[in-house]
């Protein structure tokens, strides 16, 4: 997979020597990573290893202390989340970025509401209709696209967050523990949605605590430990034991 | 009570408790105060005219509360705006006076907004401080005197006038509520206001310019308070530091009773308008009942307490 992708051209995303400190604390240290279209790279590591921080750097929430980010070979300075989204980068955050008291369809278009001419007023009907179609396509099983998000289950909410990323992503989808709060059946469904993203030729970075899931979904695995990059392995050429010892630093 | 609340929630009629309350209190006064003239056209239209300034203030406050902020200073802004307009009208035209008044309101609102949005100070403390500060300004620039407003056009346009029989105060109320409702409910800005109040972090990562929203809602609230100041000045043909002073509780109660969430994420401009009329009706009814002022205050406070409790119970979870 990786070799084919490499032959196919340049990486969608290239991180070079990314460094991030919070005050005195080094959260991410000298990380380099290339992501190609149509592949899933898993980012693993213990709690506090810097996974979420790295993801927030790519999505423009945090500025790296130093290092460079290239998108399609062009260096980008991500000032904020809005700029990252304009570049086709979508994120499903660990702490869900949904507005709880708003209906599902408004969350789907949060910050990017559809307007109707000539007055530029909100086109609620169209947003609702598009959301309905997407919800059907991804088989999300929510009571209504007009339900408030706070009235939905964890799995349904996660489904909405991923559906939103699917709707908007053009290049890159970042997922931070997308199934952490879900039951077995819901996890299965979310995993199949993630696989379908791959078929859309998006590059996907997946943070997960479940090594089973990582081995089911990913093409490559990148291991972080206390902010430092321990190594990258092809999923087919490694096993759980190796990854576990890379994560813990033991063995 | 619980059953009714549940019924309303099921049908997503969160604002409607205010309509029910409105009808209930109206019927109560209509029956009890029938002989005291509550139902006369004159009295009813008086209620509407008297609530015009508070309704306009309430429209601004809906934006602020929905965005998860608070403005305690709008009463002082009303006074300063009315006074600035009255001073300007001594030498200049009605248009200049109106612009000066609204401009003062917007400017003070923008000061609140800057301190809250860009210096990240809590809006409760900022507006508590500006409430006192501009109450002081209103006193010091007038030497505690009332400033007469003698410009006939201004007085007609903002106060006692009428266009084809419709009092200008009513027109201003309708315009403020209609524009407020449209902006709040049908524009991207309105959607971003409620989203910001609902979950600022989620809004931020969704590309909403949260700081700008916070700045703008407080500025809008200042502008509305400024317009309310013009309405007071027009109706009373004078501006004094006491204008708007006693409206704080009334306006906040009107907005909450009208279905706006105290901690952001949801609001209703039309509900706030009905809430404001309800408060006006309450005032009027208690006066007609002949209660001494002290008792009026106590009864009004108790009723507001009950009304707000019911609204919050019904809409928060
Ligand atoms: N906004 C922040 N301010 C200060 N420290 C932070 C912040 N975000 C994360 N950290 C710290 O950076 C380190 C990495 O955190 P994080 O990226 O959340 O780890 P992970 O997602 O791998 O569990 C932790 O020590 C955490 O406490
Ligand atoms: Mg994390």
């Amino acid at each position: 997979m990786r070799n084919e992708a490499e032959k196919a051209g340049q990486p969608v995303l290239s991180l070079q020597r990314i460094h991030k400190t919070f005050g005195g604390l080094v959260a991410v240290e000298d990380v380099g990573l290339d992501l190609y279209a149509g592949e899933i790279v898993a980012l693993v590591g213990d709690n506090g290893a810097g996974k979420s921080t790295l993801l927030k750097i790519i999505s423009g929430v945090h500025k790296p202390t130093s290092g460079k980010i290239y998108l399609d070979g062009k260096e980008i300075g991500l000032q904020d989340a809005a700029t990252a989204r304009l570049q086709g980068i979508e994120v499903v955050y660990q702490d869900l970025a949904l507005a709880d008291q708003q209906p599902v369809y408004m969350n789907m278009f949060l910050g990017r509401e559809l307007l109707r001419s000539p007055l530029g007023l909100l086109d609620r009907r169209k947003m609702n209709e598009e959301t309905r179609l997407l919800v059907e396509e991804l088989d999300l099983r929510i009571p209504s696209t007009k339900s408030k998000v706070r009235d939905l289950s964890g799995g349904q909410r996660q489904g909405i967050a991923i559906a939103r990323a699917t709707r908007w992503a053009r290049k890159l989808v970042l997922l931070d523990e997308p199934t952490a709060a879900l039951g077995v059946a819901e996890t299965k469904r979310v995993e199949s949605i993630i696989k379908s993203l791959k078929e859309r030729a998006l590059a996907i970075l997946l943070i997960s605590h479940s090594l089973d899931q990582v081995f089911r979904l990913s093409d490559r695995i990148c291991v972080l430990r206390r902010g430092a990059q321990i190594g990258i392995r092809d999923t087919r050429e490694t096993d759980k034991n190796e990854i576990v010892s890379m994560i813990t630093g033991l063995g | 009570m619980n059953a009714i609340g549940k019924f309303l929630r099921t049908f997503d009629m969160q604002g409607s408790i205010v309509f029910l309350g409105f009808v209930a209190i109206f019927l109560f006064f209509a029956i009890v105060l029938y002989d005291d003239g509550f139902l006369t056209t004159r009295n009813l239209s008086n209620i509407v005219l008297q609530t015009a300034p508070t309704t306009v203030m309430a429209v601004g406050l809906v934006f602020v509360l929905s965005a998860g902020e608070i403005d305690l200073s709008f009463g002082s802004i009303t006074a300063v705006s009315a006074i600035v307009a009255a001073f300007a009208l001594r030498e200049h035209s009605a248009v200049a006076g109106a612009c000066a008044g609204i401009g003062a309101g917007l400017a003070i609102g923008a000061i609140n907004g800057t301190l809250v949005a860009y210096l990240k100070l809590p809006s409760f403390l900022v507006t508590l401080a500006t409430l006192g500060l501009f109450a002081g300004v209103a006193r010091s620039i007038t030497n505690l005197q009332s400033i007469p407003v003698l410009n006939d056009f201004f007085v007609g346009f903002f106060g006692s006038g009428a266009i084809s029989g419709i009092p200008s105060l009513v027109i201003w109320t309708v315009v403020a509520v209609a524009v407020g409702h449209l902006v709040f409910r049908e524009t991207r800005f309105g959607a971003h206001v409620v989203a910001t109040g609902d979950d600022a972090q989620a809004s931020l990562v969704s590309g909403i310019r949260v700081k700008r929203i916070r700045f703008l809602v407080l500025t809008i609230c200042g502008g509305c308070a400024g317009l309310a100041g013009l309405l007071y000045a027009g109706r009373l043909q004078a501006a004094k530091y006491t204008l708007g002073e006693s409206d704080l509780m009334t306006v906040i109660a009107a907005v909450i009773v009208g279905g706006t969430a105290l901690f952001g994420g949801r609001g209703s401009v039309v509900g706030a308008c009905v809430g404001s009329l309800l408060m006006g009706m309450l005032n009027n009814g208690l006066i007609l009942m002949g209660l001494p002022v002290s008792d009026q205050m106590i009864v009004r406070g108790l009723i507001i307490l009950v009304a707000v409790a019911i609204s919050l119970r019904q809409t928060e979870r």
Side-chain angles (χ1 to χ4, degrees):
Chain A
M1 184 76 222
R2 179 192 178 194
N3 291 336
E4 287 159 33
E6 256 169 347
K7 268 177 237 151
Q10 62 191 358
V12 172
L13 176 80
S14 177
L15 302 177
Q16 290 181 12
R17 313 206 59 171
I18 299 291
H19 212 81
K20 175 73 186 175
T21 56
F22 290 110
L25 180 105
V26 181
V28 173
E29 194 180 348
D30 208 12
V31 169
L33 179 64
D34 287 345
L35 245 76
Y36 294 88
E39 75 164 345
I40 299 180
V41 172
L43 194 59
V44 300
D46 244 334
N47 281 333
K51 307 182 295 292
S52 297
T53 303
L54 185 61
L55 181 137
K56 284 178 178 168
I57 289 170
I58 303 170
S59 65
V61 172
H62 290 322
K63 256 203 161 79
T65 312
S66 66
K68 291 193 162 117
I69 305 173
Y70 296 86
L71 199 66
D72 281 340
K74 265 184 296 184
E75 186 177 354
I76 48 171
L78 295 171
Q79 291 130 10
D80 51 39
T83 343
R85 297 191 347 161
L86 281 178
Q87 312 263 9
I89 302 174
E90 282 297 316
V91 197
V92 177
Y93 290 99
Q94 186 174 15
D95 34 16
L96 292 164
L98 299 176
D100 274 9
Q101 297 181 65
Q102 312 308 316
V104 169
Y105 73 90
M106 283 304 275
N107 268 286
M108 197 67 78
F109 290 89
L110 195 62
R112 290 181 282 215
E113 297 78 7
L114 301 182
L115 305 178
R116 63 196 142 96
S117 47
L119 288 178
L121 301 179
L122 293 176
D123 196 340
R124 288 179 188 270
R125 184 186 295 180
K126 189 161 174 214
M127 288 191 274
N128 190 45
E129 189 53 27
E130 268 200 42
T131 305
R132 221 177 45 72
L133 291 176
L134 196 61
V135 161
E136 248 164 48
E137 190 185 329
L138 297 178
D139 193 19
L140 289 184
R141 301 182 197 177
I142 54 171
S144 156
T145 51
K146 290 181 179 169
S147 309
K148 289 186 176 177
V149 166
R150 70 175 177 194
D151 294 331
L152 302 179
S153 76
Q156 290 169 330
R157 294 154 61 97
Q158 196 57 272
I160 304 298
I162 296 177
R164 179 168 67 181
T166 316
R167 163 69 175 75
W168 294 99
R170 294 193 312 277
K171 290 183 179 152
L172 183 60
V173 177
L174 311 171
L175 299 148
D176 196 350
E177 303 196 28
T179 60
L182 305 188
V184 179
E186 286 180 324
T187 299
K188 275 244 149 58
R189 185 152 334 119
V190 168
E191 283 185 4
S192 74
I193 296 172
I194 295 173
K195 274 190 195 138
S196 75
L197 297 184
K198 191 169 145 170
E199 281 149 25
R200 294 179 188 219
L202 295 163
I204 296 146
L205 186 66
L206 168 72
I207 297 179
S208 176
H209 269 302
S210 157
L211 285 187
D212 287 329
Q213 179 173 73
V214 165
F215 276 85
R216 274 198 298 276
L217 292 179
S218 73
D219 300 298
R220 288 187 294 147
I221 303 172
C222 171
V223 183
L224 296 185
R225 186 165 74 230
R226 291 204 212 125
Q229 185 170 21
I230 303 303
I232 301 177
R233 298 284 183 273
D234 271 29
T235 307
R236 278 176 303 185
E237 290 160 19
T238 183
D239 55 29
K240 272 188 212 164
N241 287 337
E242 186 188 17
I243 298 298
V244 169
S245 64
M246 287 168 79
I247 290 173
T248 56
L250 305 170
Chain B
M1 196 65 251
N2 242 337
I4 298 173
K6 203 167 175 186
F7 175 83
L8 291 171
R9 249 200 321 269
T10 327
F11 291 93
D12 196 27
M13 293 158 66
Q14 279 151 342
S16 43
I17 193 84
V18 72
F19 295 100
L20 291 182
F22 184 86
V23 171
I25 293 181
F26 182 85
L27 289 178
F28 176 77
F29 282 146
I31 294 164
V32 173
L33 294 173
Y34 185 79
D35 294 333
D36 299 287
F38 177 78
L39 268 185
T40 56
T41 323
R42 187 192 166 82
N43 187 54
L44 293 180
S45 77
N46 251 342
I47 294 176
V48 178
L49 297 184
Q50 273 162 4
T51 51
T54 48
T55 304
V56 172
M57 289 183 231
V59 171
L61 194 64
V62 168
F63 283 85
V64 175
L65 288 187
S66 300
E69 303 295 335
I70 179 83
D71 186 353
L72 302 172
S73 69
F74 57 82
S76 294
I77 299 179
T78 296
V80 170
S81 299
I83 290 164
V84 167
F87 277 132
L89 286 168
R90 282 179 172 171
E91 316 246 316
H92 305 284
S93 67
V95 174
C99 289
I102 296 268
L106 288 171
I108 301 173
I111 292 173
N112 284 336
T114 304
L115 293 170
V116 170
Y118 300 108
L119 296 182
K120 295 186 180 147
L121 301 172
S123 53
F124 180 84
L125 293 178
V126 166
T127 59
L128 189 61
T130 50
L131 163 72
L133 198 159
F134 287 99
V137 169
R139 282 161 175 74
S140 93
I141 57 178
T142 58
N143 257 325
L144 304 184
Q145 299 301 303
S146 177
I147 313 297
V149 172
L150 303 173
N151 185 310
D152 286 338
F153 181 76
F154 183 92
V155 167
F157 197 66
F158 290 105
S160 54
I163 298 175
S164 56
I166 305 170
S168 53
L169 284 171
V170 173
I171 294 174
W172 280 114
T173 304
V174 171
V175 167
V177 171
V179 172
H181 176 76
L182 189 77
V183 172
F184 187 77
R185 177 75 195 158
E186 299 298 333
T187 67
R188 179 176 276 168
F189 170 72
H192 289 186
V193 167
V194 280
T196 299
D198 194 344
D199 190 329
Q201 191 58 36
S203 298
L204 197 63
V205 298
S206 299
I208 293 172
R209 291 156 77 187
V210 168
K211 286 183 188 171
R212 193 164 142 260
I213 296 290
R214 291 185 177 134
F215 171 78
L216 287 175
V217 291
L218 283 158
T219 306
I220 288 171
C221 195
C224 287
L227 176 57
L230 300 187
L231 299 183
Y232 270 131
R235 197 182 82 203
L236 305 172
Q237 305 190 14
K240 204 174 177 208
Y241 66 90
T242 51
L243 294 181
E245 208 171 33
S246 57
D247 292 334
L248 181 62
M249 182 174 76
T250 313
V251 173
I252 291 181
V255 171
I256 298 298
V257 168
T260 295
L262 186 52
F263 300 109
R266 192 190 59 249
S268 167
V269 170
V270 175
C273 172
V274 178
S276 170
L277 287 172
L278 194 155
M279 293 299 147
M281 194 165 68
L282 204 55
N283 255 347
N284 177 274
L286 293 177
I287 292 170
L288 288 184
M289 286 176 111
L291 294 182
V293 175
S294 52
D295 290 0
Q296 282 177 35
M297 289 170 73
I298 293 170
V299 174
R300 200 171 58 215
L302 287 175
I303 292 180
I304 288 177
L305 208 55
V306 172
V308 168
I310 293 173
S311 312
L312 290 183
R313 236 188 111 89
Q314 197 227 341
T315 48
E316 315 279 321
R317 270 207 320 202

